[in-house]
Amino acid sequence: MHRRQRPAGAGHVGDRVKLHRRAVWCDGREFTVITLRPDTDCRFSTNFYHDTWHILSDWRGARLLGRLLWGLAYQRRPGTLVLIDRPHLGPNPFDGRPGDPIVLVPSDLTALSVRAAQALRRRLPLRGAPDGTVRWQTHGLDPVVAQRVPWDERPPGVQRAPIVPVRGPQPKIDRVGGLLMFAASAHDLRSYAPDVHELGRYAFRGMDYTEVESPDGEVQVFNDFRHRVSAATAARRELRAEGVTGAGPGFDELVWDRGTDVRRRALRPIAAGTG
């Protein structure tokens, strides 16, 4: 009998968060696949807009994603990758289309070919008991985040540190074999992790974002991410019920507009009774 995760554990997205580990064979090679535990209270999605891939979530999801990137930079087992899939993956908050499973790949250690990605995609969602549980070590991230001072708050005369080119694999984000893959070296994973972890700190109208592979990728977060997802899903359902059919950008834009209307309806005050 497997123990159920306690509610307190479900809300923990800090250092030493518990994750599941599975050995998965894909295209003749064994991968160590790290996944979120089923009760982890975070949700993600993806979309492709303005020629840019987006990983989407809320403030909590950004905290967790930042730690996943940081911890991945310190892995030592070749073939290791992080997978975000159902039940933590859902429709996007714009047009309600399903998000692609997300794989985070440390490119110094792991090469995920198209055939291996396709093989992994066919096996999703991963079912059955995991091979083990890991404590994701990210204690080094907190001091880095604590020491960061926004540029608009720094004293006059303080200059940006020069960018020093680093040899090695270049960051890449793209759809590979039905998965949205973000691959980066250990150096780049450590560089991106604090920016992702801090998302929401300087949000504008409930939205914040940071680039993860300019100009091809971003992590974008909303304070009402789940509400937006629910509204987009309801909008698709309403349009279908009204007989509006079709696919592609035209229909997606209708869903986007209707989703905005659904959110506005939800915010309208309920009229007081007269009796």
Side-chain angles (χ1 to χ4, degrees):
M1 182 175 180
H2 299 291
R3 293 186 300 173
R4 293 181 59 83
Q5 185 175 348
R6 292 176 297 179
H12 176 66
V13 295
D15 183 32
R16 292 177 58 80
V17 60
K18 285 186 178 181
L19 304 172
H20 280 164
R21 172 182 55 81
R22 287 180 169 86
V24 181
W25 283 86
C26 298
D27 192 33
R29 181 183 175 189
E30 184 181 71
F31 289 86
T32 299
V33 179
I34 306 297
T35 60
L36 306 180
R37 292 170 54 152
D39 291 340
T40 301
D41 187 24
C42 289
R43 296 294 181 270
F44 298 87
S45 191
T46 68
N47 83 322
F48 186 68
Y49 188 67
H50 283 171
D51 296 323
T52 301
W53 285 106
H54 296 83
I55 298 175
L56 307 163
S57 190
D58 55 16
W59 296 180
R60 176 177 289 274
R63 303 293 175 269
L64 178 58
L65 183 60
R67 292 196 180 275
L68 293 175
L69 295 174
W70 184 271
L72 198 57
Y74 292 93
Q75 297 307 302
R76 294 293 178 264
R77 182 187 293 273
T80 297
L81 58 84
V82 171
L83 168 71
I84 300 175
D85 189 30
R86 291 176 283 174
H88 307 98
L89 184 76
N92 76 60
F94 308 116
D95 54 46
R97 288 187 176 275
D100 290 317
I102 302 165
V103 285
L104 310 176
V105 178
S107 50
D108 298 320
L109 288 179
T110 303
L112 186 67
S113 67
V114 173
R115 290 179 56 179
Q118 291 171 337
L120 178 58
R121 182 67 180 87
R122 287 193 295 267
R123 297 189 60 170
L124 300 183
L126 298 178
R127 302 186 185 279
D131 296 311
T133 298
V134 297
R135 288 279 192 176
W136 202 245
Q137 305 275 359
T138 58
H139 55 273
L141 176 61
D142 295 314
V144 171
V145 170
Q147 293 172 8
R148 287 161 61 92
V149 179
W151 289 105
D152 58 356
E153 297 179 12
R154 296 191 178 190
V158 176
Q159 302 296 319
R160 283 183 179 270
I163 298 175
V164 180
V166 177
R167 293 183 179 181
Q170 296 302 302
K172 177 181 179 181
I173 186 168
D174 201 0
R175 194 172 191 270
V176 178
L179 309 172
L180 180 57
M181 180 186 73
F182 174 58
S185 67
H187 173 272
D188 289 322
L189 290 169
R190 286 191 294 268
S191 297
Y192 288 125
D195 289 334
V196 173
H197 186 272
E198 282 195 301
L199 282 174
R201 183 177 178 184
Y202 303 103
F204 178 70
R205 294 184 177 178
M207 187 278 289
D208 201 0
Y209 75 95
T210 186
E211 295 176 342
V212 291
E213 200 284 295
S214 179
D216 298 325
E218 292 180 1
V219 177
Q220 185 177 26
V221 296
F222 299 88
N223 63 347
D224 58 348
F225 174 75
R226 299 192 194 198
H227 179 51
R228 288 173 176 265
V229 170
S230 297
T233 302
R236 292 188 78 89
R237 186 169 57 248
E238 287 184 7
L239 288 169
R240 297 294 189 191
E242 293 168 9
V244 181
T245 59
F251 182 73
D252 292 343
E253 289 175 1
L254 290 175
V255 174
W256 197 323
D257 291 341
R258 179 64 66 88
T260 301
D261 183 60
V262 171
R263 296 201 309 275
R264 287 172 179 167
R265 276 186 261 152
L267 294 174
R268 290 174 187 165
I270 300 175
T274 58

